[in-house]
Amino acid sequence: MTTTGRAWVFGDDIDTDVLAPGQYMKGPVEELAKHCLETVDPLFARSVQSGDVLVAGRNFGVGSSREQAVQALRLLGISAVVARSFAGIFYRNAISLGLPVFVSADVGHVKPGETVTMDSDAATLTLHKTSQTIECEPLPSFLLDMIRDGGLVPHLEKKLKGGKPTA
Amino acid sequence: MVKTLAQKIIAKACGQASVDCGDVVTARVDLAMLHDSGGPRRVKPILERLGVPVWDPEKVVVVTDHFVPALDDDTQAIQMLTREWVAAQGVRAFYDQLGICHVVVPERGHLRPGMFVVGGDSHSPTGGAFGAYMFGIGATEMAGVLAIGEIWLKVPETILIEWTGQLAAQVTAKDIMLFLCGRFGMDGGQYQAVQFAGEAIAALSMQERMTLANMTAEFGGQTGLIAPDKVTRDYLAAAGAPIDDDDMAIWQTDPDAQLLAHHVFNAGDLQPQVAAPHSPANAVDVSACEPTTVDVAYIGACTGAKLDDLRMAASVLKGRRLAPGVELLVAPASRRDQETAETEGVMAVFKKAGARILPTACGICAGYGEERLAEDAVCISSTARNFRGRMGAASSNVYLGSPYTVAASAVAGRIADPREIMAEPSTS
């Protein structure tokens, strides 16, 4: 699985209230997504494009268990998140919803707006301008399988309907 | 082989004699807790897609607390869906608008030591106060649990945090957690199991222990455990979930179990803490907090409006008035706690001081309802999170403190040390 897009670079402790503001939680996620990250970057939701990669610092997704934080990023077209570290519940939610998430100590090399290619199988992020390849920690294979299936629900569908379980 | 409490609970949930830290395992769930926001409205379509009912309705508890009160068509529809789903699935443990899930579920005797529990809310580590391995998950994972009754996890290491000695007067569990967030950051828990122990922890009431475990979410742990003792046993006996000596003996971390870290602090040295906007990790001693006038003081949430929290705040407010221009808002965490507070005269203290009492629900803490902080408002809050914009306008500033510190600040009109305010004479 590889995707190519622009890098959106954020700092440490990007929280779920910034990703999925509470005041929009009662409505459809399509509406909520328009406000994703607006308190730190008002242009993000209207400028992000399909295939773009979100790059962040420590503890990305800290806060609530609301998975609208993941859904909003997916709806906006984010194809992967690479961060120095993730908050645990966000990390689990991302995998359950089929959004590839990778941990890398080298996220500091990524410049905002530059073109990057994420290779989920190899767990690498390639920066086109410098041809630099950033190594990420590989996902355990059963979690990568879940992402390949499109998340937990299709994964379970396969399992419950007697297909070959991948975990 | 010696093991941690976390390993013992997870081993039981996996049906194995033992598990090793770092193993990825599949565990059977003893209880799944859902609320109205991430619960039925989100899991219903997934279960329909999978074509399965809830795996075991006796192992599910549902609480409505987020969209409460339901004041518009959207939120009323969410509550209707919740009630209909609960009835259709045969879930008997349903607490409709009786308070916040993290407080209501243990008060009704659903949690016991040794249980493996998931909750559809990030403050689910609260259940760890009872020696249960309880952690928060999102709605899709919850749907997966409801479909098959199991969930994967990586067996965590344990970070043991020991508090020796005794906390000083007006220093609380909340101050402990703000201090830990300030000291180690919001990822200090590394998504491992955090266990609290020591003389000062043993001296805490059950609800104070719940505050510790609750804010393990902010500290970044997967759960926050406290091994059962007499305080746990007495609380559970009163809640209708009695435990015996065997439960007490089994659900402990063995003395020589391997730990990821072991931190020891002297409780007597801890001062009241205040976390500046916009992170609990910005915690400092209240004496080191820059002079700050406040517009709103908020006593609310699972973290900061349980009966013990209400009692703390009222002990400061008794015989004192709010500073001019300060609004004090009180949203009790459970109906039962509110009723006890009424009986004890605690609610009367709030009313006499000039507080406005809000519905028993997640309220402003969750940022879901009509009540929100205004542009540029400065708030001191007994809640867990002061992220930018969470409780209202993006320009609002939220400081976190204990219920004592929030009440003292409401009286002073500025962020204040409760010991200083309580040293001043009151009218009663």
Side-chain angles (χ1 to χ4, degrees):
Chain A
M1 290 187 293
T2 64
T3 54
T4 297
R6 293 170 305 161
W8 291 83
V9 181
F10 293 92
D12 295 338
D13 294 320
I14 294 295
D15 64 71
T16 49
D17 288 279
V18 164
L19 291 163
Q23 68 190 112
Y24 306 106
M25 283 289 287
K26 68 180 181 183
V29 68
E30 291 77 11
E31 183 59 31
L32 176 144
K34 294 178 190 164
H35 304 279
C36 179
L37 286 161
E38 74 180 356
T39 51
V40 291
D41 183 352
L43 295 177
F44 173 76
R46 73 180 82 144
S47 313
V48 67
Q49 290 168 7
S50 184
D52 287 357
V53 173
L54 199 153
V55 177
R58 270 172 53 173
N59 211 17
F60 185 82
V62 61
S64 162
S65 63
R66 61 184 73 156
E67 60 188 16
Q68 285 88 340
V70 176
Q71 289 173 324
L73 293 175
R74 284 205 64 179
L75 267 175
L76 294 170
I78 289 293
S79 64
V81 183
V82 183
R84 198 174 293 277
S85 66
F86 288 89
I89 302 178
F90 180 92
Y91 184 82
R92 294 187 68 109
N93 283 343
I95 291 163
S96 296
L97 291 166
L99 175 68
V101 277
F102 288 96
V103 172
S104 173
D106 299 324
V107 289
H109 297 294
V110 187
K111 304 283 185 296
E114 72 173 307
T115 304
V116 296
T117 293
M118 182 77 227
D119 184 332
S120 293
D121 297 316
T124 57
L125 184 71
T126 303
L127 316 183
H128 286 217
K129 200 170 173 186
T130 55
S131 300
Q132 187 182 355
T133 294
I134 289 175
E135 304 282 341
C136 305
E137 293 174 20
L139 281 168
S141 61
F142 88 100
L143 293 182
L144 201 54
D145 286 344
M146 199 185 289
I147 291 173
R148 275 200 201 98
D149 285 346
L152 176 64
V153 176
H155 186 70
L156 277 178
E157 253 179 335
K158 212 156 101 178
K159 199 167 164 176
L160 290 169
K161 286 174 185 167
K164 185 175 170 284
T166 46
Chain B
M1 194 175 170
V2 294
K3 295 289 178 189
T4 63
L5 173 56
Q7 283 174 291
K8 291 180 188 179
I9 300 171
I10 293 165
K12 173 174 159 261
C14 296
Q16 295 178 22
S18 70
V19 289
D20 290 324
C21 297
D23 285 356
V24 175
V25 297
T26 299
R28 300 291 300 170
V29 170
D30 294 315
L31 183 72
M33 178 187 82
L34 290 75
H35 60 53
D36 50 340
S37 181
R41 71 170 177 144
R42 303 288 320 286
V43 300
K44 181 174 181 269
I46 299 175
L47 290 176
E48 285 169 357
R49 178 173 162 187
L50 294 173
V52 293
V54 163
W55 98 104
D56 185 348
E58 295 299 317
K59 290 182 177 168
V60 177
V61 54
V62 179
V63 180
T64 58
D65 56 11
H66 274 64
F67 296 111
V68 175
L71 296 175
D72 60 25
D73 292 351
D74 288 341
T75 49
Q76 281 171 12
I78 291 168
Q79 299 305 6
M80 285 298 290
L81 183 153
T82 304
R83 290 174 196 129
E84 286 165 10
W85 184 84
V86 162
Q89 295 291 330
V91 172
R92 292 193 299 167
F94 178 43
Y95 302 102
D96 198 1
Q97 307 190 48
L98 293 176
I100 303 169
C101 58
H102 308 295
V103 182
V104 171
V105 168
E107 106 188 346
R108 307 295 167 136
H110 290 284
L111 298 180
R112 300 159 54 91
M115 286 175 71
F116 184 83
V117 188
V118 295
D121 190 276
S122 61
H123 284 113
S124 299
T126 310
F130 298 87
Y133 198 97
M134 185 163 180
F135 62 106
I137 57 174
T140 300
E141 282 210 284
M142 180 59 80
V145 168
L146 295 177
I148 61 173
E150 55 186 45
I151 191 167
W152 72 270
L153 89 160
K154 193 168 168 182
V155 179
E157 307 234 34
T158 290
I159 298 172
L160 183 64
I161 301 181
E162 190 177 339
W163 287 81
T164 60
Q166 293 299 333
L167 292 168
Q170 281 91 49
V171 181
T172 68
K174 177 67 174 286
D175 298 302
I176 288 178
M177 293 314 295
L178 290 177
F179 169 82
L180 291 174
C181 290
R183 173 74 180 265
F184 296 101
M186 285 193 75
D187 50 1
Q190 301 173 57
Y191 205 51
Q192 305 300 310
V194 177
Q195 187 170 345
F196 300 96
E199 201 181 343
I201 306 302
L204 292 176
S205 71
M206 207 59 235
Q207 286 198 334
E208 276 284 86
R209 296 175 182 195
M210 288 163 67
T211 303
L212 281 187
N214 174 283
M215 280 197 68
T216 306
E218 281 62 42
F219 185 63
Q222 187 175 37
T223 192
L225 293 163
I226 299 167
D229 62 7
K230 187 175 180 310
V231 173
T232 323
R233 185 163 64 183
D234 290 349
Y235 179 102
L236 291 176
I243 58 171
D244 58 24
D245 288 346
D246 284 349
D247 292 313
M248 305 267 284
I250 294 166
W251 304 116
Q252 306 284 332
T253 286
D254 294 330
D256 294 323
Q258 199 178 349
L259 303 168
L260 179 60
H262 181 186
H263 305 290
V264 184
F265 298 101
N266 180 5
D269 293 340
L270 186 66
Q271 307 292 308
Q273 302 287 301
V274 171
H278 297 282
S279 170
N282 294 339
V284 294
D285 288 355
V286 63
S287 57
C289 185
E290 291 190 19
T292 306
T293 56
V294 299
D295 305 306
V296 180
Y298 186 58
I299 301 286
C302 49
T303 314
K306 301 177 291 301
L307 179 60
D308 281 0
D309 302 311
L310 299 175
R311 286 171 175 160
M312 290 178 206
S315 73
V316 179
L317 291 164
K318 192 162 199 242
R320 297 187 173 89
R321 301 287 301 175
L322 302 184
V326 174
E327 188 173 33
L328 173 61
L329 304 171
V330 180
S334 89
R335 190 76 66 79
R336 189 177 283 180
D337 280 357
Q338 182 169 9
E339 282 163 5
T340 309
E342 295 276 6
T343 308
E344 291 182 355
V346 163
M347 296 310 291
V349 171
F350 291 129
K351 286 167 200 163
K352 197 172 173 197
R356 190 151 63 88
I357 309 302
L358 298 179
T360 296
C362 299
I364 303 176
C365 177
Y368 278 32
E370 300 300 312
E371 292 273 359
R372 296 168 53 76
L373 296 179
E375 294 285 350
D376 301 317
V378 176
C379 174
I380 177 122
S381 177
S382 68
T383 57
R385 286 184 190 143
N386 55 347
F387 299 156
R388 190 188 299 275
R390 174 174 169 88
M391 292 173 64
S395 61
S396 60
N397 282 300
V398 179
Y399 293 76
L400 303 176
S402 75
Y404 285 122
T405 302
V406 172
S409 304
V411 168
R414 59 180 165 78
I415 291 178
D417 187 329
R419 297 168 303 183
E420 172 200 325
I421 300 303
M422 289 184 86
E424 294 168 1
S426 68
T427 59
S428 60

